Amino acid sequence: HHVKDKRDTFSVKLLGGYCYRYFAVADSTIKDIDILVQKPGGAIVASDQQTQPVAIIDFEKAWCMDDDATYEFRGEADGEGHGAYTFGIWARPK
């Protein structure tokens, strides 16, 4: 990613026994919003594959957790653009 990308980090505790979906939606000033999912310490475990103002991690399936875990979610504007976005997590029991 570009050296000057704006990035926000959210630390989220995910509970075992739930399935999750992760998404971000940007306003019209951001052409490409990205979500990166990292383990504490920095190892990347997922990222969105879209190049648009909507980002969804693994849009074809939910992430189901067997055990509790904490992950870091990084939202960033990729390339040019600045503005507002919303990051969300949807959860349901397994």
Side-chain angles (χ1 to χ4, degrees):
H1 291 285
H2 192 273
V3 174
K4 296 180 182 179
D5 286 344
K6 305 272 190 293
R7 180 180 282 186
D8 295 310
T9 301
F10 308 93
S11 182
V12 179
K13 182 174 182 177
L14 305 174
L15 301 177
Y18 283 83
C19 295
Y20 297 88
R21 301 297 302 262
Y22 315 105
F23 61 92
V25 179
D27 68 21
S28 63
T29 63
I30 298 174
K31 302 301 180 208
D32 183 12
I33 187 79
D34 289 335
I35 305 171
L36 302 171
V37 183
Q38 297 178 301
K39 290 182 179 181
I44 296 175
V45 294
S47 64
D48 76 284
Q49 302 302 311
Q50 295 86 20
T51 54
Q52 58 190 11
V54 175
I56 303 170
I57 297 290
D58 293 335
F59 63 88
E60 70 279 353
K61 63 180 173 37
W63 277 29
C64 295
M65 304 293 294
D66 292 324
D67 300 308
D68 293 356
T70 299
Y71 286 99
E72 291 182 351
F73 293 82
R74 298 185 185 271
E76 65 183 41
D78 190 6
E80 299 297 317
H82 63 283
Y85 70 92
T86 297
F87 169 71
I89 300 175
W90 170 85
R92 67 169 171 80
K94 254 180 152 173

